[in-house]
Amino acid sequence: MFELRRIWIKRDVKMRDAWRTLLVQAKLYPDEDVDYTVGIFLNDTLVATGSYQGTILKCLVVCSRYQSENLLTKIVVHLLNELQAKGINHTFVYTKPENGAIFHSLGFSEILMTDAVLFMEIGTPNFATYLQWLSEQRQSREASAIVMNANPFTKGHLFLVEQAAKLSEQVYVFVLSENQSTFSFADRLAMVRAGVAEFANVTVVPTENYLVSSLTFPTYFLKDQAPLELAKIQARVDATLFKEKIAPVLGITKRFVGEEPYSKVTEVYNQAMKEVFAGEIELYVFSRLTIKGEIVSATKVRQALKENNQVLLKQLLPQSSYEYLEKNYNYRGELVWK
């Protein structure tokens, strides 16, 4: 008889090994960065499992011998109930395309499907809501895009915006909504808006959960700790979602990025965009801005903040970002709000 119960993959080594084996057999990556995991057992043998992290269902797998037993549905319903008990009513899932019918029957709607991945969600506000909002921001027939974290907004970011503004009728600057950076989304958004205020043809918009997020591209935030093969898959999903769903709404035909000499994951992302866009969206790759022979980067800014190096901060930051940080932040080993 099948028994559903919670499992503790970070505490129980034997159970973690069984869990990892089940995932690997299904050709899934055993992502241990989860908040909650449940398993279904048959005579104490793990035959199905699923987890959630934040609002994302992940690591969902059923042993091939028991895929006719409706076990995946039981796991998903259990996880949704657990999330709803916590007040979370908007949930996402990455799964295999062949599982689409099961998730559709549970009320999930498709965001994107590729040969390898089906990305779905349930609850509101959803992707359709976001696309409708974006359509209301549309300013022209043809436009370009920049996607940035801006942690914080540097002269390098400003340089990229300047180039795009010269070559485009309209530029949309997407700021990552994900709060996995030194500066909060609200602070990064404020710095970007202040930094691009001089450009009449630039509009700043949030990415929400649909571009370079823990949903579409979680390895982006791991940088060089990320498995590159996994990063390549996620980068292609993110680039495909942008090309097929977001760009058409805003009439985007160009995307501007900077070369990436430091992060292998970001370089993987640039390569994925080149392959996925395949001429349908023109990818412009600019050499990174250098000042006094040094590449400008947000990493260097954060280090300068840590060292309270005002000379370097003024060199790397536009006046708007410098004034924002001067007004709002102190640095005492970590950034603290004044």
Side-chain angles (χ1 to χ4, degrees):
M1 186 173 179
F2 294 108
E3 178 189 5
L4 186 148
R5 62 177 186 259
R6 185 172 183 181
I7 57 179
W8 306 86
I9 59 173
K10 295 179 182 179
R11 300 183 192 176
D12 187 331
V13 175
K14 183 178 179 180
M15 186 55 62
R16 181 171 65 245
D17 289 344
W19 173 81
R20 289 180 64 88
T21 297
L22 188 61
L23 288 168
V24 171
Q25 287 174 345
K27 297 182 180 179
L28 294 180
Y29 179 77
D31 186 351
E32 297 180 21
D33 189 15
V34 294
D35 302 323
Y36 180 97
T37 299
V38 66
I40 293 180
F41 296 80
L42 180 62
N43 299 326
D44 282 333
T45 298
L46 183 66
V47 297
T49 186
S51 305
Y52 68 70
Q53 177 190 12
T55 62
I56 312 165
L57 303 187
K58 55 171 46 176
C59 300
L60 298 161
V61 63
V62 177
C63 177
S64 59
R65 285 181 290 176
Y66 303 104
Q67 290 183 354
S68 62
E69 300 290 343
N70 206 32
L71 301 185
L72 181 59
T73 298
K74 291 177 182 178
I75 286 174
V76 172
V77 169
H78 174 83
L79 293 174
L80 290 176
N81 287 339
E82 289 291 322
L83 287 167
Q84 288 167 3
K86 296 175 65 175
I88 297 173
N89 296 298
H90 187 197
T91 307
F92 302 84
V93 65
Y94 264 113
T95 188
K96 294 181 178 181
E98 56 262 35
N99 292 330
I102 293 172
F103 284 95
H104 278 298
S105 71
L106 293 171
F108 282 79
S109 58
E110 179 183 317
I111 297 173
L112 178 73
M113 184 169 68
T114 68
D115 291 342
V117 171
L118 177 59
F119 182 28
M120 307 183 79
E121 67 182 336
I122 188 171
T124 55
N126 56 21
F127 190 44
T129 309
Y130 178 61
L131 292 181
Q132 177 58 39
W133 181 83
L134 284 181
S135 72
E136 295 166 2
Q137 314 309 309
R138 184 164 178 166
Q139 301 292 321
S140 65
R141 293 181 62 185
E142 290 191 3
S144 65
I146 303 170
V147 179
M148 63 175 63
N149 196 18
N151 185 39
F153 185 76
T154 69
K155 286 182 178 177
H157 294 109
L158 180 59
F159 169 76
L160 194 59
V161 174
E162 288 172 341
Q163 303 314 305
K166 290 176 185 176
L167 298 170
S168 313
E169 183 178 331
Q170 176 67 31
V171 182
Y172 296 98
V173 176
F174 290 82
V175 180
L176 271 58
S177 299
E178 193 81 20
N179 270 316
Q180 292 199 37
S181 303
T182 303
F183 295 95
S184 71
F185 166 63
D187 289 334
R188 291 182 287 105
L189 185 68
M191 283 186 274
V192 174
R193 283 178 169 162
V196 305
E198 64 183 282
F199 302 101
N201 64 334
V202 174
T203 301
V204 181
V205 294
T207 58
E208 299 297 345
N209 292 303
Y210 305 106
L211 275 177
V212 194
S213 71
S214 58
L215 300 172
T216 62
F217 199 176
T219 53
Y220 176 85
F221 300 96
L222 298 176
K223 295 301 182 185
D224 290 337
Q225 300 174 31
L228 287 185
E229 286 306 311
L230 183 60
K232 289 177 183 178
I233 295 170
Q234 294 173 356
R236 290 186 67 86
V237 169
D238 191 275
T240 302
L241 183 62
F242 177 81
K243 182 184 85 167
E244 294 185 359
K245 306 290 185 176
I246 293 174
V249 171
L250 292 171
I252 293 169
T253 59
K254 305 183 186 79
R255 178 126 166 212
F256 292 83
V257 300
E259 285 182 335
E260 187 42 67
Y262 298 124
S263 169
K264 292 181 181 179
V265 171
T266 307
E267 180 56 32
V268 161
Y269 188 31
N270 285 356
Q271 184 60 35
M273 283 188 282
K274 181 179 179 180
E275 294 170 1
V276 170
F277 294 170
E280 295 181 46
I281 295 176
E282 193 170 359
L283 186 69
Y284 290 76
V285 183
F286 283 89
S287 298
R288 297 281 288 271
L289 178 68
T290 60
I291 296 177
K292 296 182 178 179
E294 291 289 328
I295 293 175
V296 176
S297 74
T299 301
K300 290 180 181 178
V301 171
R302 295 193 298 273
Q303 185 63 31
L305 281 165
K306 187 174 183 178
E307 297 169 355
N308 196 24
N309 187 336
Q310 296 297 315
V311 173
L312 187 56
L313 288 173
K314 289 180 179 179
Q315 181 176 301
L316 300 178
L317 291 171
Q319 187 65 24
S320 57
S321 292
Y322 183 85
E323 290 176 355
Y324 186 90
L325 295 174
E326 186 178 44
K327 177 181 178 182
N328 294 308
Y329 278 93
N330 286 320
Y331 207 94
R332 302 282 190 275
E334 63 180 29
L335 285 164
V336 261
W337 187 258
K338 280 186 178 178

